[in-house]
């Protein structure tokens, strides 16, 4: 509902701010793979339901809060835009800012078709991110135990897919609707996941130590009792 600001004439950096989504997906999956992968090394399993509960606790409250703000705002705008003496149009059943879109947002499914299911357009990234979370507990054990050559081949395949994505979109990564958005996010999430696995990079331990200093993830030398009671033994709020 607010006017868009055109900053192209003043800065070439601000219009590329959408790339922060790509950076977040890479870093988030990198840290998750390293933290939960270290749990696999110690004999813990990345259990599906505890992992999903931990991720929901991280992203869902703010998502619902913003959605609760947008619904009455939409109703208020509808009242203000209607002539005096006439009833405002009700919320439509289908389309953007509709009842179907509201249900899709509550279940974080709006990323399937953000252009037609959104109440809060930027929340498309939360939806696609959550789709990646659903696959993570199933993919991590496979990727973590894969050999170096297989992991390298997978990395080259994923980077090739990103190169094809870049070519198909004219080097414009700000794709947030439909299949292209899913390809953008899931591919980058998997790249970060592979990079965060053991032996994939020499600087992975440095990233974890830096994250631990910031209080985002626990150090791998944390006392044993702190690991109990979560998906692979870490506190539910430990990873990105």
């Amino acid at each position: 509902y607010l006017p868009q600001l055109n900053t192209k004439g003043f800065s070439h950096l601000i219009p590329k701010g959408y790339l922060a989504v790509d950076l977040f997906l890479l870093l988030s999956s990198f840290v998750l793979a390293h933290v939960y992968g270290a749990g696999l090394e110690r004999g813990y399993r990345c259990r599906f339901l505890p992992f999903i509960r931990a991720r929901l606790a991280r992203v869902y409250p703010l998502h619902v809060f913003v959605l609760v703000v947008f619904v009455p705002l939409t109703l208020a705008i509808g009242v203000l835009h209607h002539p005096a003496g006439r009833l405002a149009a009700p919320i439509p059943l289908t389309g953007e800012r509709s009842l179907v879109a509201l249900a899709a947002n509550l279940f974080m499914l709006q990323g399937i078709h953000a252009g037609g299911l959104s109440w809060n357009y930027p929340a498309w990234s939360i939806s696609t991110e959550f789709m990646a979370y659903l696959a993570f507990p199933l993919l991590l054990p496979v990727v973590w135990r894969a050999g170096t050559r297989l992991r390298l081949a997978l990395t080259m395949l994923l980077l090739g897919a990103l190169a094809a994505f870049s070519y198909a979109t004219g080097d414009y990564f700000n794709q947030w609707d439909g299949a292209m958005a899913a390809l953008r996010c899931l591919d980058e999430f998997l790249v970060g996941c592979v990079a965060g696995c053991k032996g994939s990079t020499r600087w992975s331990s440095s990233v974890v130590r830096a994250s631990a200093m910031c209080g985002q993830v626990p150090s791998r030398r944390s006392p044993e009792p702190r690991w109990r009671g979560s998906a692979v033994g870490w506190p539910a709020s430990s990873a990105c």
Side-chain angles (χ1 to χ4, degrees):
Y1 298 109
L2 298 176
Q4 295 184 0
L5 300 177
N6 188 354
T7 60
K8 290 184 178 180
F10 305 96
S11 171
H12 294 288
L13 179 62
I14 295 177
K16 295 294 183 179
Y18 62 84
L19 292 174
V21 174
D22 306 85
L23 178 62
F24 172 80
L25 287 166
L26 288 168
L27 291 179
S28 176
S29 57
F30 179 94
V31 175
L32 284 172
H34 196 96
V35 170
Y36 284 91
L40 294 177
E41 284 288 292
R42 297 180 178 272
Y44 292 96
R45 291 185 304 161
C46 187
R47 293 179 293 165
F48 184 82
L49 289 180
F51 175 81
I52 295 301
R53 283 199 298 266
R55 307 287 28 99
L56 283 173
R58 174 71 70 169
V59 302
Y60 197 68
L62 180 59
H63 171 61
V64 172
F65 172 78
V66 175
L67 190 62
V68 169
V69 171
F70 265 71
V71 172
L73 179 62
T74 299
L75 296 175
I77 293 294
V79 172
L80 293 175
H81 283 184
H82 275 71
R86 295 187 181 181
L87 295 176
I91 297 177
L93 178 62
T94 60
E96 61 176 315
R97 299 190 178 94
S98 64
L99 295 178
V100 170
L102 180 61
N105 277 261
L106 287 173
F107 289 97
M108 290 196 291
L109 297 175
Q110 71 274 16
I112 297 174
H113 180 35
L117 292 176
S118 285
W119 281 77
N120 173 28
Y121 282 103
W124 70 269
S125 59
I126 295 178
S127 176
T128 54
E129 177 189 353
F130 187 70
M131 295 176 191
Y133 287 159
L134 292 175
F136 180 82
L138 306 177
L139 294 176
L140 178 64
V142 178
V143 176
W144 187 267
R145 295 186 175 95
T148 303
R149 292 183 179 180
L150 181 59
R151 213 177 293 157
L152 179 60
L154 178 59
T155 301
M156 297 303 295
L157 178 64
L158 293 171
L159 293 179
L162 280 179
F165 175 89
S166 178
Y167 178 80
T169 60
D171 200 26
Y172 185 61
F173 267 61
N174 193 20
Q175 306 296 320
W176 53 272
D177 193 7
M180 295 302 285
L183 175 61
R184 170 191 176 189
C185 294
L186 296 179
D187 194 303
E188 291 169 346
F189 189 89
L190 285 174
V191 169
C193 181
V194 174
C197 288
K198 62 176 182 178
S200 296
T201 175
R202 294 180 179 179
W203 41 269
S204 61
S205 59
S206 300
V207 173
V208 173
R209 284 197 297 268
S211 300
M213 293 175 63
C214 296
Q216 294 178 346
V217 297
S219 170
R220 293 182 64 180
R221 297 181 180 178
S222 299
E224 185 80 17
R226 291 183 59 191
W227 297 349
R228 297 174 182 169
S230 65
V232 290
W234 272 270
S237 61
S238 60
C240 292

